[in-house]
Amino acid sequence: MGPLAGLKIVEFAAVGPAPMCAMLLADLGATVLRIDRVTPVELGKKRPLQFDLLLRNREGMALDLKSPEGRAMAMDVVANADAVIEGMRPGVMERLGLGPDDCFKRQPKLVYGRMTGWGQTGPLADAAAHDLNYIAVTGALDAIGRAGQPPSIPINLLGDYAGGSLYLALGILAALRESERSGRGQVVDAAITDGVTSLMTSMFGLMAAGMWKLERGTNIADSGTPFYDVYACADGKFVTVAPIETRFFEDLLQRLDIAPADFPDRWDRTQWPRMRETLAARFRTRTRDDWCALLEGSDACFAPVLTMAEAPHHAHAAAREAFVEVGGVQQPRPAPRFSRTSPALPRAPRASTRDEALASLRDWFGEARYSQLEAAGKLAAVQGSEA
C-alpha cells in the first residue's frame, strides 16, 4: 500500500536525519531494509526500541561490514535495490568497498542517497557537528529569536529534518524519476547546510529587496510585529495571532472589541509598542480556552499554543486522525495524504531475529536468488538486528 509500493531501499544505520528519510519513504509504501551494525554504536539518544519511532515500518538485519562476508552480503542486497540511504562521514563507505562507484558496478540504475551535515566536499566536510551547528552557518539561526535576545534554538526540526531528511527524500525521488528515463543512477549529496540554505530562499530575497532587517525580532514573521506574535493568557498559557492581511487584522480587532480607529495605520512602527501592549493586556483578561471559544475557526488567524501532550487531542487533529496508536505508542500518522494510494498504518519499530531477517531477505530477493545465495553460503553473514 502507498504510492511508493514496489520501491526497494537499503538503509545503512546512521543518526537521526537518515532514519527520518527512510521512515518517510517507508511510510509511503517503500520497502526499506535496514542494515545495522553487529556491534552497537552510539546513534543519538538511547531509548527503548518501541519509542524510537524513526525506525518504524521496516525490517532489519545486522552485518559486520568490516568482514568480507558482511560486505559481500551488503553488496548483494544493494544490487537488488532501487536506492541506498547512508549517513556516514565522507569516505567511510568507499573504504568499506560500498561506495557509489562500487555499487554502480552491480546496479547501474541505483540512486545513492548520502546524508551529511556539511556535504561530501568543502573544508568542514569531515568535521563532527549537529543540527545547531549546521543552521548556525546558514543565517537561519541568527534570524530566529526576539529583539535584544540571543538566537533561539528551534529544536532540531529545521536542520536535521527539514533541511536534511526532507531534502534527501526529495532528491532520491527526483533521481529515481530521472533514472527511469536515462537508465543510469547517480549520487544524491544531501547536506543539511544546503537544505537549510534553500529553505531560507524567501528571506534572502526579502533582505536583498531591503525588506528584511538583520536585527532579530524586527520583521513581520519573527515576532517584530505585534500582529504576528505569541501572547500570554490569564491562566499562564499562550495563544498566537497572525492576521497579516488588513481584513484579517480588522476581524481580530472587532472580536477583541478594540476600535479600528485606535490603530489606523498598523504598519506605523512607532505605534507597535502601544499596539503590542493593548493586545497583551486584552489577552491577559481570559484563559486560553476562553479565547479559543471566541476566536478559533474565525478569520482572525488565531490558534492556541498546545503542548505535545495536548496536540493529539485538538479537535482538528482528531477529525483528521493526525495521530495513531501503534504498539501502545501514540505517534503522527504518515503524511501527506493520497486520494487513491493511501499508505497503511505504520508498523512499530522492532528488532528482528536472524530467522526474521532471513525471511525478509527471501522476500527481498525472491525465491530463486535467495536459494542461490543460500547454496553459496552467503547468508551465513546475516545476523538479527537486535545484535
Side-chain angles (χ1 to χ4, degrees):
M1 299 176 68
L4 298 184
L7 192 64
K8 298 170 74 172
I9 299 173
V10 177
E11 172 199 4
F12 288 92
V15 293
M20 176 71 170
C21 176
M23 185 207 77
L24 291 170
L25 299 175
D27 277 357
L28 300 188
T31 297
V32 179
L33 183 60
R34 178 178 170 92
I35 297 179
D36 286 308
R37 294 166 172 83
V38 171
T39 303
V41 298
E42 185 180 2
L43 292 176
K45 189 171 179 61
K46 187 69 175 176
R47 77 205 80 173
L49 183 59
Q50 72 197 83
F51 302 112
D52 198 350
L53 299 181
L54 297 186
L55 301 184
R56 71 188 189 187
N57 263 344
R58 49 206 190 268
E59 304 299 331
M61 64 177 180
L63 293 173
D64 180 4
L65 297 180
K66 294 183 179 180
S67 73
E69 298 79 12
R71 290 195 298 272
M73 186 70 248
M75 184 61 80
D76 279 322
V77 171
V78 168
N80 205 49
D82 299 296
V84 162
I85 294 173
E86 67 93 358
M88 309 291 187
R89 291 199 204 195
V92 170
M93 295 299 283
E94 283 83 353
R95 289 193 291 274
L96 289 171
L98 295 168
D101 291 342
D102 304 296
C103 294
F104 290 151
K105 292 175 184 177
R106 293 287 303 275
Q107 169 55 292
K109 293 181 63 176
L110 184 73
V111 170
Y112 199 102
R114 317 197 81 166
M115 180 79 266
T116 60
W118 303 113
Q120 296 297 312
T121 60
L124 294 176
D126 292 324
H130 278 294
D131 179 293
L132 186 62
N133 311 119
Y134 305 135
I135 68 173
V137 301
T138 65
L141 180 61
D142 185 71
I144 300 172
R146 293 191 173 273
Q149 298 294 318
S152 296
I153 301 174
I155 53 180
N156 64 325
L157 290 175
L158 178 56
D160 284 349
Y161 301 139
S165 307
L166 285 170
Y167 273 79
L168 179 57
L170 174 63
I172 287 173
L173 295 177
L176 285 169
R177 177 69 180 92
E178 192 279 336
S179 72
E180 293 174 359
R181 299 192 299 269
S182 68
R184 300 173 59 195
Q186 62 181 304
V187 174
V188 179
D189 176 3
I192 292 173
T193 50
D194 291 348
V196 175
T197 298
S198 175
L199 289 168
M200 291 289 289
T201 299
S202 175
M203 286 67 182
F204 275 100
L206 289 170
M207 184 180 69
M211 299 171 64
W212 185 276
K213 296 179 179 294
L214 291 180
E215 295 79 13
R216 278 184 298 280
T218 62
N219 299 286
I220 293 176
D222 66 355
S223 78
T225 59
F227 44 85
Y228 196 98
D229 210 345
V230 177
Y231 289 96
C233 303
D235 53 1
K237 297 178 181 179
F238 297 88
V239 296
T240 64
V241 290
I244 296 174
E245 297 83 356
T246 299
R247 63 188 184 281
F248 299 152
F249 179 69
E250 291 175 348
D251 188 75
L252 175 66
L253 293 184
Q254 184 269 324
R255 293 175 186 276
L256 294 182
D257 196 25
I258 298 174
D262 289 352
F263 302 105
D265 181 6
R266 65 195 178 100
W267 295 106
D268 179 1
R269 288 176 174 264
T270 66
Q271 297 299 309
W272 285 1
R274 184 171 67 88
M275 184 188 299
R276 192 184 302 276
E277 181 50 42
T278 298
L279 292 173
R282 190 59 51 92
F283 281 116
R284 284 196 298 266
T285 64
R286 302 187 189 185
T287 66
R288 186 189 68 183
D289 289 347
D290 288 338
W291 288 119
C292 286
L294 179 66
L295 297 172
E296 200 163 23
S298 72
D299 279 352
C301 300
F302 166 92
V305 177
L306 302 180
T307 66
M308 289 172 59
E310 294 172 317
H313 306 291
H314 187 266
H316 191 78
R320 289 183 59 81
E321 298 181 322
F323 291 81
V324 294
E325 186 172 305
V326 179
V329 180
Q330 192 172 54
Q331 57 196 273
R333 73 181 305 137
R337 308 192 183 200
F338 299 85
S339 62
R340 289 190 299 103
T341 55
S342 295
L345 291 180
R347 290 179 287 113
R350 68 183 188 90
S352 299
T353 65
R354 184 173 187 273
D355 287 343
E356 289 170 334
L358 291 174
S360 66
L361 284 177
R362 189 183 296 272
D363 293 336
W364 182 267
F365 287 113
E367 190 63 42
R369 178 59 178 157
Y370 181 88
S371 296
Q372 291 175 349
L373 293 169
E374 186 176 37
K378 290 188 174 183
L379 299 180
V382 177
Q383 301 186 34
S385 63
E386 78 276 14

